[in-house]
Amino acid sequence: MSSGRRAGLSHVDAMTPIELAVSGRVTRADVPRLCAELEKLLHGPAGDTCGPVAAVDCDVGGVIRPDLVLVEAVARLGLIARRAGGRELRLRNVPPELRSLLDLVGLAGAIGLGDRDPARDPA
């Protein structure tokens, strides 16, 4: 019987990130709902903390007209993720307008601005 080398990185724990999608026009009234949705994903319906999760992936590719309300929502979601065990909020499919706003208010370094969507952001 021979045992071959296992595929993949043996020293890395595979942790599935929590995924949250934000789409449409985000208004002030939507921000508490988004925060509650993330809290529910992080803590489960019973309120107990989920197992080890490396990060929260937030897909913002479907947002319409990014503005400072969306920036506030992203900042609050990042704070919730960080308070739930130091998790990182990583934005996915970030529109260029939102990137610019996050940079303008100084949050670009605090929020993980993950992969670029080549169809929306050719740079």
Side-chain angles (χ1 to χ4, degrees):
M1 180 172 160
S2 65
S3 60
R5 185 175 170 171
R6 293 174 53 176
L9 300 173
S10 60
H11 65 280
V12 176
D13 291 334
M15 289 189 249
T16 306
I18 289 176
E19 296 180 0
L20 175 70
V22 179
S23 61
R25 174 92 176 157
V26 177
T27 65
R28 279 211 195 280
D30 295 323
V31 176
R33 178 189 54 78
L34 289 169
C35 291
E37 187 176 339
L38 180 57
E39 289 275 0
K40 185 176 177 183
L41 289 170
L42 287 168
H43 300 291
D48 47 338
T49 304
C50 295
V53 175
V56 175
D57 284 344
C58 183
D59 187 343
V60 291
V63 297
I64 299 171
R65 292 190 313 201
D67 57 10
L68 289 176
V69 173
L70 180 58
V71 170
E72 176 189 353
V74 167
R76 289 180 60 185
L77 292 171
L79 184 60
I80 290 169
R82 198 163 284 128
R83 285 181 177 168
R87 294 175 175 97
E88 176 189 16
L89 179 70
R90 300 183 301 203
L91 298 181
R92 301 288 183 234
N93 302 315
V94 184
E97 301 89 356
L98 180 55
R99 280 183 189 274
S100 297
L101 285 170
L102 290 169
D103 190 42
L104 181 68
V105 299
L107 287 175
I111 303 293
L113 297 176
D115 65 319
R116 293 177 182 251
D117 180 359
R120 294 183 78 159
D121 192 5

